Amino acid sequence: MHFKWNYVPPTSEQRTAAKELGEKIGMSPILAELLIQRGIKTESAAKRFFRPMLNELIDPFLMNDMDVAVDRLNDAMGRKERIMVYGDYDVDGCTAVALVYKFLQQFYSNIEYYIPDRYEEGYGISIKALDYAAEKDVKLIIVLDCGVKAIKEISYAKSLGIDFIVCDHHVPDDELPDAVAILNPKREDSSYPFKHLCGCGVGFKFMQAFAKNNGIPFSRLIPLLDFCAVSIAADMVPVTGENRILAFHGLKQLNQSPSVGLKSIIDICGLTGRELTMSDIVFKIGPRINASGRMQNGTEAVDLLVERDFEKALAEANRINLYNEQRKDVDKQMTEEANQIIEKLESQKHHDSIVLYDENWKKGVVGIVASRMTELYYRPTVVLTRSGDLATGSARSVAGYDIYDAVKSCRDLLENFGGHTYAVGLSLKIENIPEFRRRFQEYVSSHILPEQTEQTLDIEAEIDFRDISKKLHNDLKKFAPHGPGNEKPIFCTRNVYDYGTSKVVGRQQEHIKLELVDSKSSNVMNGIAFGQSADARYIKSKRSFDIAYTIEENIYKRSDVQLQIEDIKPSEE
């Protein structure tokens, strides 16, 4: 698949500004231009960007209800009440529960954690969990990464004498649940300066406030930052502002002194001895934590994350790794079946969105399949399966399109829904699926822009091979951690040629290993183009072509730089 390239060359004023900034910070104008594109225009702002400081974290008490939440937690501890830490079964929920539980357990023993079973209890706060909490004489539940829409459930908990502190980051409804405190930067009345924390991030801010109120040194929180980095990467929240600080120091913790549970996952992934990046979390660590909740029960993931004994953790990590292998098999089968449905449904091909339902699909994997369909067809996608008497599933979006609004437009047909711009969970009566499909597709068609229906690459700079050096690569590393809002820079070079040694590689001959020269220098650059072997014939034809790529370290030859080719196009004559 080829992309539409978005590239706007810098103006002469921008070039001058980049040259001046580059001279001040000792960096090439190319990279200074990248800073300016990110809104970083001064030497001091550049220093803050490259060296995020923990002392620049926002005062947690600026979040609505934070003082009330801390007071209620202090009261619970003072009265020796039973406390339950409750969370969603995905990576964000499990890391949030692990972080809050591990921190509080250092000071208080009458505490437990609970992750609902995806298949028996479903998303969010379940009545079964509340009945269990009442049996165990729980008086306070701290709920993480869900709860902001649980009006009925929290009302029921109150009738049982159980108080709630909600730590959530999903978009709330107009009506909020009757909790003691609702910590959510997306509240309509929120005065908190940063809106894009993940659930684990909100939990961290709660613990930061608790520590501050009780005279506990901030240094006691630092060992838990690895959980923040994992949740920020896996939940795909913007890696800007406060999230950049948490991710930067969380990655540092993950690389230097990870928690026992995360260390065991790193070992299982074969990542030991490598410098871990956000991509390693997204593609290796996160899916394994997620697999527990997808295939069995997320409680096992939290058991692993809070484990202190490395041998026990390693045994648990091996078990979770097996779940991940099973998940891959199910994922592959469901994706093939979804493709077959789309091929049969000619009508789907003419819509700007996709809505699929199969009662036999595994509930824990529909979100992944929705993501796969979105990547493949580049359209907002909803994938549903049967769960008891309801259809339940996940919606995923394309860049720039708010799928939450699209699902919300059909709320009268839904039993429940929640999420954010790019990902939504929902449930509805099975008989409502045809009308939901019609209304959802109608809404998307009338609101999506033409440019949101084709896959694009945002090119940050056009450069020549002579611009690429070890120093440029080392300076580029300072732009990490990467993610939404601070993507890894994509460059393009025009009129490149095969050096004569490029070849197709991979088990199924699906990749191209490239050796390239450009028309302006004698530099030979190594590159790898994953899944693009269809372009090999053109490359070997000795005609020129343009490439879009990121600049990476060659993991086999650490001293070498290589290009990871994102797209290949014939050069315009």
Side-chain angles (χ1 to χ4, degrees), residues 559-572:
S559 59
D560 286 0
V561 170
Q562 77 169 8
L563 312 181
Q564 183 165 312
I565 314 292
E566 301 294 328
D567 200 18
I568 298 166
K569 285 186 176 178
S571 296
E572 292 179 10

Side-chain angles (χ1 to χ4, degrees), residues 424-485:
V424 177
L426 65 155
S427 61
L428 67 161
K429 289 175 181 168
I430 290 164
E431 60 265 30
N432 286 348
I433 293 173
E435 180 61 9
F436 171 80
R437 178 184 283 118
R438 186 190 71 76
R439 292 244 310 264
F440 178 81
Q441 291 180 336
E442 191 176 81
Y443 184 93
V444 173
S445 293
S446 61
H447 288 80
I448 200 163
L449 301 172
E451 58 266 30
Q452 292 170 334
T453 61
E454 55 183 328
Q455 202 149 11
T456 58
L457 275 183
D458 291 324
I459 309 292
E460 295 212 41
E462 185 176 324
I463 62 175
D464 302 323
F465 286 171
R466 63 189 169 197
D467 297 315
I468 302 171
S469 63
K470 190 66 181 169
K471 176 172 171 27
L472 183 96
H473 179 245
N474 286 336
D475 285 343
L476 259 179
K477 285 182 183 177
K478 296 174 186 174
F479 282 73
H482 296 295

Side-chain angles (χ1 to χ4, degrees), residues 65 68 143 147 154-155 158 163-166 176-182:
D65 287 358
V68 183
V143 60
I154 289 177
S155 176
K158 200 168 183 180
D163 282 341
F164 259 87
I165 294 171
V166 176
L176 294 174
D178 188 13
V180 170
I182 297 173

Side-chain angles (χ1 to χ4, degrees), residues 184-202:
N184 186 332
K186 289 194 180 82
R187 278 174 58 164
E188 195 71 39
D189 60 348
S190 175
S191 55
Y192 196 70
F194 186 71
K195 307 296 181 194
H196 304 296
L197 292 168
C198 57
C200 187
V202 178

Side-chain angles (χ1 to χ4, degrees), residues 234-524:
D235 222 52
M236 303 298 280
V237 290
V239 187
T240 57
E242 192 162 38
N243 280 344
R244 180 170 172 82
I245 301 171
L246 293 171
F248 181 91
H249 290 278
L251 270 179
K252 190 174 172 185
Q253 186 70 26
L254 195 65
N255 278 292
Q256 293 177 0
S257 183
S259 67
V260 168
L262 287 174
K263 173 75 173 76
S264 68
I265 299 173
I266 290 164
D267 276 21
I268 291 296
C269 294
L271 295 171
T272 305
R274 271 181 51 186
E275 185 176 355
L276 301 172
T277 65
M278 298 293 266
S279 289
D280 292 319
I281 297 170
V282 171
F283 295 109
K284 298 288 182 73
I285 297 170
R288 283 166 173 82
I289 297 172
N290 248 338
S292 179
R294 291 189 190 284
M295 305 306 291
Q296 291 293 328
N297 188 298
T299 303
E300 291 185 51
V302 181
D303 293 342
L304 169 59
L305 293 174
V306 301
E307 181 57 64
R308 295 176 183 175
D309 181 281
F310 186 70
E311 291 307 314
K312 286 182 183 173
L314 209 54
E316 287 172 12
N318 271 300
R319 187 163 62 250
I320 279 175
N321 196 49
L322 281 176
Y323 295 154
N324 193 48
E325 293 305 312
Q326 293 165 14
R327 188 272 305 165
K328 285 181 188 173
D329 291 340
V330 174
D331 166 9
K332 187 180 177 186
Q333 182 186 338
M334 282 170 57
T335 299
E336 286 171 0
E337 289 171 2
N339 275 321
Q340 287 166 11
I341 292 172
I342 292 172
E343 287 304 312
K344 285 176 190 169
L345 291 174
E346 280 297 315
S347 61
Q348 292 276 9
K349 295 179 182 178
H350 305 298
H351 283 289
D352 292 317
S353 63
I354 295 170
V355 178
L356 301 176
Y357 169 72
D358 187 306
E359 64 176 17
N360 297 313
W361 283 341
K362 195 167 179 69
K363 185 179 171 185
V365 185
V366 290
I368 297 177
V369 176
S371 294
R372 297 254 189 274
M373 295 297 102
T374 304
E375 288 166 16
L376 201 57
Y377 297 99
Y378 213 67
R379 283 179 278 175
T381 299
V382 180
V383 177
L384 300 162
T385 187
R386 187 174 188 133
S387 180
D389 296 330
L390 296 175
T392 186
S394 292
R396 295 291 184 271
S397 195
V398 295
Y401 185 74
D402 189 338
I403 202 166
Y404 183 85
D405 281 349
V407 173
K408 188 179 179 181
S409 73
C410 308
R411 67 182 307 161
D412 57 302
L413 298 170
L414 305 176
E415 298 298 304
N416 208 347
F417 76 101
H420 41 80
T421 305
Y422 293 123
V424 177
L426 65 155
S427 61
L428 67 161
K429 289 175 181 168
I430 290 164
E431 60 265 30
N432 286 348
I433 293 173
E435 180 61 9
F436 171 80
R437 178 184 283 118
R438 186 190 71 76
R439 292 244 310 264
F440 178 81
Q441 291 180 336
E442 191 176 81
Y443 184 93
V444 173
S445 293
S446 61
H447 288 80
I448 200 163
L449 301 172
E451 58 266 30
Q452 292 170 334
T453 61
E454 55 183 328
Q455 202 149 11
T456 58
L457 275 183
D458 291 324
I459 309 292
E460 295 212 41
E462 185 176 324
I463 62 175
D464 302 323
F465 286 171
R466 63 189 169 197
D467 297 315
I468 302 171
S469 63
K470 190 66 181 169
K471 176 172 171 27
L472 183 96
H473 179 245
N474 286 336
D475 285 343
L476 259 179
K477 285 182 183 177
K478 296 174 186 174
F479 282 73
H482 296 295
N486 182 41
E487 302 284 357
K488 185 172 280 192
I490 296 176
F491 301 94
C492 77
T493 300
R494 311 278 183 188
N495 296 304
V496 304
Y497 297 85
D498 175 27
Y499 187 60
T501 47
S502 298
K503 60 184 178 181
V504 174
V505 295
R507 281 184 193 171
Q508 296 173 318
Q509 301 285 283
E510 67 270 45
H511 316 307
I512 317 173
K513 192 173 185 301
L514 299 146
E515 285 192 317
L516 304 171
V517 290
D518 70 359
S519 56
K520 295 183 181 176
S521 70
S522 56
N523 292 11
V524 179

